[in-house]
Amino acid sequence: MPDRGGFPHFMLKEIYEQARGVRDTVQPRLSPEGDRVVLPGIGLTDEDFRRIRRIKIAASGTSRHAGLAGHYMIEQLARVPVDVDHASEFAYRHPMLGADELVVAITQSGETADTLAALREAKSRGAKTIAIANVIDSTIAREADGVLYTYAGREVSIASTKAFTAQLAVLYLLAVYLAQVREAVTKDDLKRLIADVAAVPAKIETVLNVDFACRELAHKFDRARDFLFLGRGVHYAAALDGALKLKEVTYIHAEGYPAGEMKHGPNALIDEALPVVILVSRDPNDPESVLRYEKTLSNLREVKARSGRVIALAAEDDADVRESADHVLPIPPAPELLLPILEIVPLQLLAYHIAVRRGLDVDKPRNLAKAVLVE
Ligand code: F6R
């Protein structure tokens, strides 16, 4: 049996291993000069990458949420259109695929039956395939044309934490690599994008300082019956995973929703009993990020106006958020596309501490398995 290394649960240990997991995943893929991404084992030539017209991502659960963030990363940096699908849907809807399409299967275990079926379907239709997998030499890693391993290390807790942040990091590298090969960015931009991701592990160390605050929040919210998680753009992917983590380890009903969709129905749910977690961090140097932020901030104020209890994830110095939200969990500054790697950490910790407060089997939630080998 692997060792909990002094932590009370594997989930907490694995949350704390995320800076290392991201560093081990990123560092070996950056050129020593920090001006190129190198992806040995990718299984496709530069010419193949230049020819790709569309990317389809197929994955399940948390790995699909990473794929949703990858969607924003790849479209924004490399300007290649991306679709993301539940592997369980992809495999059975006769996907339209061809040789100029790339299918990326994302999986921690490398054995998920739905994801394996999606990969096999893609191969049978002549698409190129890449696996993003955490378990070395797993079935999906072996069957894909190429593999990009996440080096998060063995994940024991059923709730996936460190594999998710490593998946986000590897998807970012794939997006930068595509941009590099297809010359979609300048050399200076490339260097900046690489420096940005190299800086992430230290920021994960910083964000782990919210652990105590999350434990305090768990005292306040451990009896909640429902939770909402809201985010816009790439933050929506982190909101979805925050909701999934909470559901699976605390058994509290939770939903992730795009912040701008609230007015189309879910606003009716808001009352003083509903905790609403809003991801409202931003990159102050990026006008698009600031615009998105302003819209999400106004969503936050709408939730408050309807008596919701707001937990916001925002920059430490954000006075507007501090004034409007009930609780603020600080997120270190980072470029927009990398913020989900930081935002998910407090959401994992919140789920963890609520599960502990509720006396649940954190590492082995009921009815779940670490690798889902049935379709
Ligand atoms: C959630 C979780 C699951 C898995 C899903 C896919 O915390 O662990 O949702 O992400 O079952 O598993 P993999 O990534 O092994 O294909």
Side-chain angles (χ1 to χ4, degrees), residues 64-104:
R64 189 184 70 93
H65 297 155
L68 288 170
H71 180 172
Y72 289 95
M73 294 169 178
I74 294 168
E75 288 197 345
Q76 191 172 315
L77 298 180
R79 307 304 298 157
V80 181
V82 180
D83 298 318
V84 185
D85 219 335
H86 297 270
S88 56
E89 293 291 324
F90 179 92
Y92 304 104
R93 64 171 170 81
H94 306 294
M96 290 164 62
L97 291 169
D100 52 3
E101 271 166 281
L102 170 67
V103 173
V104 180

Side-chain angles (χ1 to χ4, degrees), residues 20 23 78 112 162 199 208 233 243 362:
R20 195 182 73 205
R23 191 175 292 119
T112 302
K162 61 178 180 169
L208 282 164
V362 181

